Amino acid sequence: MVLLLKPLIFLHDLSLALLTVMFHGEGLKASVDGVRTGMYTMWSSTRSTLIVPVFTCLVALCLIISFLVSIESVYMNLVILYVKLFDRKPEKVYKWEKMQEDMELGHQNYPVVLIQIPMYNEREVFELSIGAACRLMWPSDRLIVQVLDDSTDPDIMELINMECAKWASRDINIKYERRDNRNGYKAGALKHGMRHSYVKQCNYLVIFDADFQPEPDYLQRTIPFLIHNPELALVQARWKFEQQSGSTRHAFFGFNGTAGVWRIAAMEEAGGWKDRTTVEDMDLAVRVGLLGWKFVFINDVEVKSELPSQFKAFRFQQHRWSCGPANLFRKMTIEIIHNQRVKIWKKFYVIYSFFFLRKIIIHSFTFFFYCVILPTSVFVPEVKIPNWATIYVPSVITLLSAIATPRSFYLVIFWVLFENVMAMHRTKGTLIGLFEGGRVNEWVVTEKLGDTLATDLLPQLRKPRYGFLERVNSKEMVMGIYILCCACYDFFFGNAFLYLYLLMQSAAFLISGVGFVGT
């Protein structure tokens, strides 16, 4: 009630002052002083009774989340450290024997493997991916390469068809498959590919995105795990380090959508591919995992792939990778809770650690705490943010992450700043996925360059140079300017060195905002 009366009293006094000025000019100075005093009193009251308490609650919430995130990060990395120190390689945990050709049966002891390569207008990389798949060391009569082409460009369609015909002439069992629509995007293409009659003879399924190029011995190193361990449903090769922790702790992690080998029987038991979200790979992995099947991550098998070369393409990719899991979490939480096939600890891991903390909370926390709350704290000195949350915990998490990629350690500062920038887009994608916003099922294919930058074989593919205004990203610019203002305020009026971090973070936003990221 007091908060409601004070603004009314102020407006009453202001009206009387204005009337006095209109009829008594000599009272102007006194009236202005009264208005200034009244405004200051009203601001001070609002600040102490509303702004500071609300900001204190937000900081407290961020501190709790920071603690949870730090515990999860430390635990994950301790598991990885345990695997390395005690040499707990998958070959020692699961049975693995090198494939041997039987003198009597010949190649018949080799299982039939289906390789799916989904494509959409992949002019720059289709030769690389098809060639890498066809060069895999495996008996040609026990291998089927299936190119799922959803391209809409007739020239690219013809080029891909000709490439498939070239390898078919070399006695490679390669199938060029098309469909008359793009329903379900990648998931729809994969599902359509599984309907062909020749798939019924296949035991295992391998998926390579168009920009992935496996080494020739990929199948020789992965398939034996599935042959000798009937409880395994998925063997995943490396292109993300965090999966090693999930594989070790619960024999579960999210399938990356590529560079993995599936047991087709396990896929069929779980219902196969579904296109209800943009993360059909994670959807399948969760459903298979809830049936009790196990996954194994092979850290020593690495598959070459391509990162998006343009910032805009990277943003679209990150939107899909954050929106899809959040939407899947919304759709599968009840199903996971009611599942009777796995233990309660695995359900807790999937809901809390895999989904809630790593797919939902971490993105929002990173953006709001390090890019909103921390900069804004310079205007609210009454609220103290402890050093453990601003210095120690981020430093530990950053160092643990850097240990996984020691060759890139010198880039760790730039990586942290850029990750904070991308957290803004991941937060937006997460919220869209949770509340099923308008872009929840948006799928923008990431543009790939292949070897064009290195070889210059396709000069006609060079993109036109855009003007400065066309390269500007408004969201990044707004955040960069705001954080820069906070840094300047802290430099002149603060009593800490927070402005040093704020200046670097504002620079990261502004550099991204003017389009100076990527090729």
Side-chain angles (χ1 to χ4, degrees):
M1 181 60 72
V2 174
L3 288 176
L4 294 175
L5 288 177
K6 286 187 176 182
L8 295 176
I9 295 173
F10 167 73
L11 292 174
H12 175 265
D13 294 342
L14 178 61
S15 301
L16 291 179
L18 291 175
L19 290 173
T20 302
V21 171
M22 292 175 61
F23 296 102
H24 303 282
E26 66 275 6
L28 177 59
K29 184 177 183 301
S31 299
V32 171
D33 291 340
V35 170
R36 184 185 297 115
T37 302
M39 292 180 66
Y40 178 78
T41 302
M42 181 181 177
W43 166 246
S44 298
S45 176
T46 303
R47 178 185 176 87
S48 61
T49 57
L50 180 62
I51 295 178
V52 173
V54 170
F55 193 75
T56 301
C57 292
L58 292 175
V59 169
L61 179 62
C62 287
L63 294 179
I64 294 173
I65 296 175
S66 178
F67 177 75
L68 296 177
V69 170
S70 63
I71 294 297
E72 175 71 9
S73 178
V74 170
Y75 181 46
M76 285 176 57
N77 284 276
L78 285 177
V79 172
I80 296 174
L81 185 62
Y82 163 77
V83 171
K84 292 182 177 180
L85 289 178
F86 294 92
D87 197 26
R88 299 286 293 173
K89 292 184 177 181
E91 292 85 350
K92 296 184 177 181
V93 177
Y94 295 98
K95 184 179 179 180
W96 186 93
E97 294 181 359
K98 185 178 180 180
M99 296 295 301
Q100 301 287 343
E101 184 174 334
D102 191 284
M103 297 299 294
E104 297 182 358
L105 298 178
H107 296 158
Q108 295 302 311
N109 65 320
Y110 281 76
V112 181
V113 179
L114 172 68
I115 298 179
Q116 288 188 318
I117 310 176
M119 292 190 172
Y120 176 74
N121 293 336
E122 309 286 1
R123 180 191 293 269
E124 294 82 358
V125 296
F126 73 88
E127 288 183 273
L128 299 174
S129 57
I130 293 176
C134 292
R135 293 188 186 95
L136 290 171
M137 294 186 301
W138 202 257
S140 59
D141 60 331
R142 313 297 287 176
L143 181 68
I144 301 175
V145 179
Q146 188 184 67
V147 178
L148 305 170
D149 185 21
D150 274 0
S151 299
T152 55
D153 187 321
D155 294 336
I156 298 178
M157 291 162 51
E158 181 63 24
L159 289 172
I160 297 176
N161 193 15
M162 290 173 59
E163 183 69 13
C164 292
K166 181 185 77 174
W167 285 101
S169 66
R170 301 178 183 178
D171 294 329
I172 298 297
N173 190 0
I174 185 170
K175 309 288 185 181
Y176 176 73
E177 305 290 359
R178 285 192 54 80
R179 53 185 183 142
D180 55 7
N181 59 70
R182 287 196 68 218
N183 294 341
Y185 302 109
K186 179 181 174 181
L190 296 172
K191 183 190 297 185
H192 183 266
M194 297 297 291
R195 294 172 180 169
H196 295 281
S197 58
Y198 56 82
V199 174
K200 295 180 181 179
Q201 61 181 306
C202 300
N203 307 103
Y204 305 115
L205 168 67
V206 186
I207 303 169
F208 294 119
D209 281 349
D211 57 319
F212 275 70
Q213 302 165 47
E215 294 295 327
D217 63 349
Y218 174 85
L219 295 179
Q220 298 280 353
R221 299 177 66 183
T222 56
I223 293 293
F225 282 103
L226 295 171
I227 293 177
H228 301 294
N229 301 277
E231 73 276 18
L232 290 179
L234 170 66
V235 179
Q236 174 71 59
R238 179 167 69 90
W239 62 291
K240 254 192 179 180
F241 86 96
E242 71 176 40
Q243 292 169 308
Q244 187 170 13
S245 175
S247 174
T248 303
R249 287 188 289 171
H250 301 279
F252 173 84
F253 49 84
F255 173 47
N256 282 341
T258 181
V261 187
W262 277 101
R263 188 186 300 275
I264 293 180
M267 295 177 59
E268 293 175 345
E269 184 183 357
W273 298 109
K274 292 187 178 181
D275 56 9
R276 55 182 173 177
T277 70
T278 57
V279 284
E280 74 295 326
D281 42 15
M282 187 181 296
D283 189 343
L284 176 62
V286 174
R287 285 184 282 114
V288 172
L290 291 177
L291 293 175
W293 290 92
K294 295 182 179 181
F295 308 159
V296 62
F297 175 75
I298 312 300
N299 190 60
D300 294 335
V301 179
E302 184 176 4
V303 179
K304 181 182 177 181
S305 61
E306 179 181 328
L307 284 172
S309 60
Q310 296 182 343
F311 183 55
K312 184 176 181 181
F314 187 68
R315 284 171 51 185
F316 280 126
Q317 183 191 70
Q318 295 302 303
H319 169 84
R320 185 172 76 245
W321 287 0
S322 55
C323 178
N327 191 237
L328 184 63
F329 175 68
R330 171 192 174 107
K331 293 178 176 178
M332 289 203 69
T333 302
I334 301 301
E335 181 181 342
I336 296 171
I337 293 174
H338 291 162
N339 181 274
Q340 302 295 325
R341 299 281 293 272
V342 296
K343 295 180 180 180
I344 188 172
W345 293 113
K346 187 169 184 177
K347 290 195 284 186
F348 176 79
Y349 166 75
V350 174
I351 293 176
Y352 171 74
S353 181
F354 179 76
F355 270 121
F356 181 71
L357 205 57
R358 282 190 267 154
K359 309 300 182 185
I360 309 296
I361 293 298
I362 187 64
H363 304 317
S364 304
F365 164 75
T366 300
F367 173 65
F368 282 115
F369 184 62
Y370 294 109
C371 302
V372 178
I373 296 296
L374 206 55
T376 306
S377 67
V378 303
F379 302 120
V380 193
E382 300 94 327
V383 180
K384 302 296 182 182
I385 302 179
N387 289 335
W388 66 263
T390 58
I391 301 176
Y392 305 133
V393 168
S395 299
V396 170
I397 294 176
T398 301
L399 288 174
L400 290 174
S401 300
I403 290 174
T405 54
R407 290 178 297 179
S408 304
F409 186 81
Y410 67 100
L411 295 172
V412 66
I413 299 298
F414 303 99
W415 173 74
V416 169
L417 297 174
F418 184 68
E419 280 292 289
N420 290 346
V421 174
M422 293 312 303
M424 176 176 65
H425 299 286
R426 293 171 183 144
T427 299
K428 180 182 177 182
T430 299
L431 294 176
I432 290 175
L434 277 178
F435 299 103
E436 296 200 324
R439 295 176 58 195
V440 66
N441 289 318
E442 180 183 61
W443 184 294
V444 178
V445 176
T446 305
E447 183 181 20
K448 306 170 186 70
L449 297 180
D451 290 337
T452 55
L453 290 179
T455 63
D456 200 29
L457 292 177
L458 299 172
Q460 73 273 17
L461 297 176
R462 290 177 178 172
K463 304 301 179 184
R465 293 184 177 273
Y466 296 106
F468 174 76
L469 293 179
E470 293 175 300
R471 295 201 312 266
V472 169
N473 302 301
S474 58
K475 299 182 183 68
E476 285 82 356
M477 291 297 296
V478 170
M479 286 302 305
I481 292 172
Y482 174 72
I483 296 176
L484 180 61
C485 292
C486 295
C488 294
Y489 183 90
D490 186 61
F491 178 78
F492 289 109
F493 304 106
N495 54 5
F497 295 97
L498 183 59
Y499 65 86
L500 295 176
Y501 158 73
L502 297 180
L503 286 173
M504 291 189 294
Q505 189 62 69
S506 66
F509 270 103
L510 293 174
I511 291 172
S512 302
V514 296
F516 289 161
V517 176
T519 57

